[in-house]
Amino acid sequence: MGRKILLKHINEPGIQGYETYRRIGGYASVEKAVKTMTPDAIVEEVKKSGLRGRGGAGFPTGMKWSFLAKPEGVNRYLVCNADESEPGTFKDRYLMEKIPHLLIEGMITSSFALGAHTSYIYIRGEYFYIVNILEKAIEEAYANGWLGKNILGTGYDLDLYVHVGAGAYICGEETALLESLEGKRGNPRIKPPFPAIKGLWGCPTVVNNVETIASVVSIVNDGGDAYAALGIGRSTGTKLISASGHINKPGVYEIEMGITVEDFIYSDEYCGGILNGKKLKAVVAGGSSVPILPAELILKTANGEKRLMSYEGLSDGGFATGTMLGSGGFIVMDETTNIVQNLYTFARFYHHESCGQCSPCREGTAWMEKIMHKILHGHGTLADVDLLWEIQSKIEGNTICPLGDAAAWPVASAIRHFRSEFEEYVKNPESIKEVNHLYNTQLA
Amino acid sequence: MGKIKIQHSKFKIIKMSEVKKIEFSPEAFELVQRLIRRYPEGNQKSALIPTLHLAQAEFDGWLSAPVMDYVASLLQIQAIEVYEVASFYSMFNLKPVGKCLIEVCRTSSCWLRGANEVVAHIEKKLNIKDGETTPDGKFTLKTVECLGSCGTAPMLQIGKQYHENLTLDKVENLINDWSQATEHSKYLDNSTFRKN
Ligand SMILES: Cc1cc2nc3c(=O)[nH]c(=O)nc-3n(C[C@H](O)[C@H](O)[C@H](O)COP(=O)(O)O)c2cc1C
Ligand code: SF4
Ligand code: FES
C-alpha cells in the first residue's frame, strides 16, 4: 500500500463531522502554526516540501507564496480554487465532500502564513450540494474557535466564506476566477500584473487549488522535509488521481508520486485493469487539456522505460511522445473507443467554454468544432484533417490565457498519434455508421 | 443592399400584462443582505452571482428582465451589469424552463460510458430534443459539460442533486418521480448558506 496523506482517514466513520475530525488530530496544524510559528517559517516549510500546485500547472507553492506583495495597510487575500471543471477531474469534489474540515484547516493555516484576514473558497455552481457541506464545516470551525476573532487567543483574526460560481470552465483560470468573485463575467485578465501583486479587488492575492491547500496541513504538522521524502525527484509528496473511463474501478486514488502508469492502471489497489478484459487503447492522463497518448506511449516512454506517474515522468518526451500530469484527471479508453468521436466531445467543450476575448481562441475553437462535426457526420475530407492541424497550431501561444493552448493540444495530439483513424473516417463512410453506436456501456 | 438579419434576443421578451410585482420573500431578502456582508464595503457587486441563483430559485427557475432589474436595484448596480453576467454563465436560464430541468453530462468520460444513450432515451421518452421543454412545461432537457462526476459516469443533475452511475431504469424512475412535481428543481434554498 502506498503512503497516504490526504486520504489517510477517509474511511473513518463520521469523518465529515467536526468531532471525529478533531479526534483523529484535526486542526493540530492551526494550533502549531498560530501558537508556535511565524508566517515566514511556514512559507519556508512549504518551500522545503517541494509542493507544487495541484490545480494543473504544477507551479511551486512556496515560491508563489513568497511572491505575495505586502504593502502596509492593504488587505491580502487567499482564494481557494474549487472550480474543478477540467473534464476527467473530480478529486477536489471528493475531498470537500468526504473530509471538508481538511480543506477548512488548510485554509486557516495557509491564511495565517500569508497574513490574510478574509479568505474565500470559490466553488463551481454545479457543486451546490457541497456548498451545504462546507458551510456546515465552517460553522463548526467558528463554533470551536478556529475561525473568527482572536483565534486561540493569539490575536489572529480570520473570516472564511464560500463563494459560488454559476457554470463556466474558464472561471477555473485564476484571474477569471477573481473577476467572477468580483461579480463580473469570467474574462481572464492580462498578466502582468499577477494576482500576487494585484488580485482580488486590486489587492495582493494568492489563488491555490483545493488539494494544494489541503496538503499544507501535513507539511505544517510533520515538516517540509517529511513531505519531500515522499515521491520522486521534483515531484514530491502524493497526488490525487481521478480515474475514469473504461476501467474496472473508477474513483479517486491517492498515489505516491513515482509509481508506474502500468501499476496504476492494472493493479487492484488502483484502477483494477480495463473493463470487460478489453485491451487498452489510449489514455488522457491529466484532464482534457493534456495530450492524449496511445497505449504503447503511456505505458512506456519512447526510450522503452516504464512510464512513471509524476510531473517529469508523464511529460517525458515532450509533446512528441509525452503528455502532462495536469490536474490528474486520468481518462482511460479501451480498444473499441473511437478517437475521432472522443475528440469531438473535447472540441465541443472548448468551443462552449471559450470566453470569447481573443480571436484565435474564439474563432479557432468554433472552427475546430465545426470541422470535427463535419468529419463525424461523414462529410469530411483529408484536407479537413490538415486544416484542423493548421488551426490548432495558430491558437497555441497566441491568446490571453492558456485555455487556447488547452483547446489546441488535444487536437494536435489526437492527429499526431491517431492520424490513420481520421483518414479512415473521411475515406470510409461505412465505418462511421458503426462507430456512432460504439459506446461501451453497462446500461440496462 | 443585403438583407439585415435580425438576431433573436437571448432574452425572452415579455408583455406588460405578464409583469408581476417582483419581490424576494423576506428570508431571501435577508439572505441577500447577509451575502453582501461577506465582501468588503463597496464591493456588494460580488454578491451578484449568488443573488442571481437565489432569484432563479425564487422566481420559477429562470431570470426575466424585470427579475434582473430587481436584482440590480437590490445590489445598487446598473441593470446592464446584471444582464452581462446572467448571459455569461451556463447555469442561468434566460428563458423559462420546465419544472424539472434535466442536465445530462455529455463530455468524454460520460460519453465513454453511455451518455449518448441516456440523452437518446430521455429525448424519446419525453418527445423533446436537447434544449427543449415539454409542452406541459414539466421537463426541460439540457446537455452540459463535465460536472465532476466522471468516475460515476454516466450522470445527470436535477437541481442540486447529482444522479450517478445511471441506468435506463434509474432515468425512467427519475422522470416518473418528477412528473408529479409541483415545485421547480432548485440549486439552493434558504438552508444553503450559514446564518452567521
Ligand atoms: C482554462 C483553465 C482552467 C483552470 N481550471 C482550474 C480549476 O478548475 N481548478 C484549479 O485549481 N485550477 C485551475 N486552473 C489553474 C489556475 O489558473 C491556477 O493555476 C491554480 O488554481 C493555481 O493553484 P495551484 O498553484 O494550487 O495549482 C485552470 C487554468 C486554466 C487556464
Ligand atoms: S484564450 Fe480563450 S478563454 Fe482565454 S481569454 Fe482568450 S478567448 Fe478567453
Ligand atoms: S465527463 Fe461527465 S461528469 Fe465529467
Side-chain angles (χ1 to χ4, degrees), chain A residues 10-317:
Chain A
I10 205 80
N11 293 321
E12 192 78 32
I15 194 68
Q16 228 194 12
Y18 176 76
E19 298 303 330
T20 308
Y21 184 75
R22 181 77 181 123
R23 186 165 48 71
I24 56 96
Y27 288 99
S29 79
V30 176
E31 193 152 10
K32 181 168 178 186
V34 299
K35 284 194 174 159
T36 70
M37 293 174 84
T38 64
D40 286 347
I42 301 174
V43 177
E44 263 328 293
E45 288 305 320
V46 174
K47 274 192 184 161
K48 265 199 251 167
S49 75
L51 174 66
R52 292 162 70 180
R54 302 297 194 226
F59 191 82
T61 306
M63 202 188 297
K64 184 187 241 181
W65 285 15
S66 64
F67 292 156
L68 185 69
K70 296 180 176 152
E72 209 44 53
V74 179
N75 290 335
R76 304 194 277 277
Y77 294 100
L78 171 63
V79 179
C80 173
N81 189 340
D83 191 61
E84 188 161 67
S85 315
E86 173 90 356
T89 316
F90 45 98
K91 62 178 179 88
D92 296 339
R93 169 190 171 202
Y94 185 80
L95 211 60
M96 292 186 286
E97 179 177 344
K98 302 287 181 200
I99 183 161
H101 282 283
L102 184 65
L103 175 61
I104 311 302
E105 178 177 357
M107 283 300 285
I108 302 168
T109 304
S110 305
S111 298
F112 176 74
L114 296 167
H117 295 286
T118 308
S119 298
Y120 297 92
I121 299 171
Y122 180 102
I123 188 167
R124 66 180 298 184
E126 292 89 342
Y127 284 176
F128 252 115
Y129 80 98
I130 301 177
V131 177
N132 275 91
I133 295 171
L134 291 176
E135 287 276 337
K136 181 157 180 289
I138 292 173
E139 202 163 22
E140 288 173 327
Y142 268 101
N144 289 282
W146 303 105
L147 278 168
K149 293 254 174 295
N150 194 16
I151 295 170
L152 303 184
T154 59
Y156 176 59
D157 303 336
L158 176 66
D159 283 310
L160 177 59
Y161 301 107
V162 180
H163 182 98
V164 280
Y169 166 65
I170 191 58
C171 292
E173 194 281 333
E174 57 186 10
T175 59
L177 182 150
L178 296 175
E179 287 286 296
S180 184
L181 186 37
E182 292 179 8
K184 303 177 197 153
R185 296 167 79 97
N187 289 343
R189 298 174 182 169
I190 293 174
K191 296 190 254 191
F194 287 90
I197 311 296
K198 257 183 188 303
L200 187 58
W201 302 303
C203 300
T205 302
V206 165
V207 181
N208 272 134
N209 175 259
V210 171
E211 186 187 347
T212 312
I213 301 224
S215 300
V216 170
V217 171
S218 87
I219 293 171
V220 168
N221 280 336
D222 304 329
D225 288 333
Y227 190 87
L230 292 177
I232 180 169
R234 287 179 52 237
S235 300
T236 59
T238 64
K239 173 88 189 83
L240 295 181
I241 306 288
S242 322
S244 68
H246 297 143
I247 45 177
N248 283 317
K249 292 168 46 193
V252 175
Y253 296 101
E254 181 170 16
I255 60 156
E256 183 172 344
M257 296 265 204
I259 67 168
T260 67
V261 171
E262 190 180 340
D263 197 27
F264 184 68
I265 297 177
Y266 290 102
S267 86
D268 278 338
E269 195 179 340
Y270 305 111
C271 305
I274 310 299
L275 204 57
N276 301 325
K278 292 241 168 41
K279 281 215 225 51
L280 174 67
K281 178 169 188 175
V283 171
V284 173
S288 62
S289 303
V290 313
I292 187 171
L293 285 184
E296 58 280 12
L297 282 175
I298 189 72
L299 295 173
K300 291 206 167 110
T301 67
N303 296 331
E305 286 158 16
K306 286 196 169 192
R307 198 180 276 284
L308 305 184
M309 300 279 288
S310 66
Y311 290 102
E312 292 74 23
L314 285 166
S315 61
D316 187 289

Side-chain angles (χ1 to χ4, degrees), chain A residues 402-414:
Chain A
L403 185 139
D405 305 337
W409 295 336
V411 176
S413 56

Side-chain angles (χ1 to χ4, degrees), chain A residues 170 188 353-358 361-362 399-404:
Chain A
I170 191 58
E353 302 299 338
S354 166
C355 84
Q357 278 191 109
C358 332
C361 172
R362 182 186 62 239
T399 56
I400 294 175
C401 92
L403 185 139

Side-chain angles (χ1 to χ4, degrees), chain A residues 86-90 244, chain B residues 105-111 144-151 153-155:
Chain A
E86 173 90 356
T89 316
F90 45 98
S244 68
Chain B
C105 172
R106 63 184 187 181
T107 319
S108 174
S109 300
C110 283
W111 169 77
V144 295
E145 302 298 350
C146 180
L147 294 179
S149 191
C150 330
M155 66 83 66

